[in-house]
Amino acid sequence: MSFTLYNAPQSTCSQRVRFVLNAKQLPFTEKKLDLLEGDQMKPEYLKLNPNGVVPTLDHDGAVVIDSSVIVEYLDEMFPDPVNFTPRDPLKRATMRSLMRFIDEVPAAAVRVPTYNIAFLPRFAAMSEEEFLAFANSKPLRREFMLAMGRTGFPQKDMDASLDKMSRTYTRMEESIDASGGPWLLGKDISLADISVMPAIVRMADLGLATMWDTRPKIARWYELIHAHPAFTLTYYFGSLLTERIPHLQKKTG
Ligand SMILES: N[C@@H](CCC(=O)N[C@@H](CS)C(=O)NCC(=O)O)C(=O)O
């Protein structure tokens, strides 16, 4: 049995899949794509993933795309030694509805501060023509790139994103309260926790962790996921933006 994961170290969607593979002790070969160089738009990669994004999992020649789908696939195929999906159908439904919320709200919202704070200098340095060609080549993120432009998202978009993150923390607290915590669905970590993890880690990486200073349940949840044995394996050096992007090291200390 073999796994090849097409991914990028700093990609939040990739980090979900690496966490699950590591936690399940499934060895995998990583193919690292350089997203700023446009490796994800190369014809041979688009044959695997027509959305032109990472991650893509190849499991013995069978290709699965989209991080939420991949983590569910892995959990169904390999329920041992750890399983991240509750047995109870109603709890499963709660987990899946949280995962939908996470994909729609924080996973999308975190891209705005990420691009504005970390990646913008790269696009600002392009000519308008180069930038338009780059943006227009993206099957999934064309409109996102065009809305950002070479000058970045306006403050109102940054504010809306931070507000969406705030609503995410509230939703997490409500889940922790309803389930008894410390994880979103109770005493066991689930795919919902793993799905939201990269957005929360990204906020901390961007120096925006103060947003949960007054939310002890989120701070506790964050400590717990950090302490999970799969965390360090997933976030190897280069997985954080502060480890890759020189101007961020100065900004966030
Ligand atoms: N829903 C997809 C989204 C994948 C996605 O947006 N991947 C980002 C990295 S986290 C990417 O490849 N971006 C490259 C680009 O936009 O060109 C998933 O969860 O797999």
Side-chain angles (χ1 to χ4, degrees):
M1 184 176 67
S2 79
F3 292 103
T4 304
L5 181 66
Y6 297 80
N7 83 147
Q10 80 287 1
S11 141
T12 51
C13 319
S14 305
Q15 289 157 359
R16 292 173 170 176
V17 178
R18 294 208 300 269
F19 189 98
V20 170
L21 286 165
N22 285 322
K24 290 182 180 291
Q25 296 168 21
L26 295 167
F28 60 102
T29 304
E30 256 189 278
K31 293 252 165 83
K32 293 182 186 172
L33 279 72
D34 186 333
L35 301 180
L36 290 176
E37 285 302 319
D39 287 351
Q40 70 279 29
M41 250 80 72
K42 292 195 172 141
E44 59 276 22
Y45 184 71
L46 287 172
K47 277 188 207 145
L48 296 174
N49 188 330
N51 291 333
V53 289
V54 291
T56 296
L57 181 73
D58 178 319
H59 173 205
D60 287 338
V63 172
V64 187
I65 64 168
D66 198 288
S67 60
S68 293
V69 177
I70 299 171
V71 293
E72 286 217 55
Y73 171 79
L74 288 170
D75 217 31
E76 281 172 17
M77 291 288 282
F78 307 97
D80 298 315
V82 277
N83 173 27
F84 296 114
T85 306
R87 277 182 185 281
D88 172 51
L90 190 57
K91 239 179 163 181
R92 277 177 191 242
T94 307
M95 181 188 84
R96 292 196 172 112
S97 52
L98 270 173
M99 288 171 76
R100 299 296 173 275
F101 171 83
I102 291 161
D103 274 346
E104 197 156 329
V105 181
V110 83
R111 288 191 194 109
V112 172
T114 295
Y115 274 73
N116 259 17
I117 297 173
F119 298 146
L120 194 58
R122 161 81 190 214
F123 300 114
M126 287 180 171
S127 72
E128 186 65 10
E129 236 178 14
E130 274 172 335
F131 176 75
L132 287 177
F134 190 74
N136 282 320
S137 71
K138 289 182 179 290
L140 206 63
R141 293 284 140 68
R142 181 172 307 160
E143 290 75 13
F144 173 86
M145 294 297 289
L146 293 173
M148 175 185 70
R150 288 186 304 133
T151 51
F153 290 100
Q155 192 57 43
K156 77 168 176 33
D157 291 353
M158 279 290 274
D159 293 345
S161 281
L162 297 185
D163 190 57
K164 284 182 186 172
M165 290 310 299
S166 210
R167 280 182 266 155
T168 299
Y169 307 144
T170 302
R171 179 66 72 91
M172 289 173 72
E173 287 169 334
E174 286 166 359
S175 298
I176 291 169
D177 283 340
S179 69
W183 300 104
L184 298 179
L185 291 182
K187 62 178 182 34
D188 296 317
I189 182 172
S190 76
L191 291 181
D193 298 285
I194 297 166
S195 295
V196 78
M197 166 193 74
I200 306 291
V201 173
R202 173 60 52 82
M203 292 300 280
D205 195 23
L206 291 173
L208 298 170
T210 49
M211 283 186 76
W212 70 77
D213 269 357
T214 53
R215 297 179 186 261
K217 282 171 199 154
I218 306 293
R220 171 81 187 115
W221 176 95
Y222 186 66
E223 270 171 29
L224 269 183
I225 204 141
H226 248 263
H228 192 285
F231 191 92
T232 321
L233 296 169
T234 299
Y235 285 88
Y236 52 73
F237 188 82
S239 300
L240 297 178
L241 295 177
T242 40
E243 293 165 347
R244 313 173 65 88
I245 300 183
H247 77 266
L248 277 187
Q249 285 154 11
K250 279 181 231 121
K251 197 169 207 156
T252 58

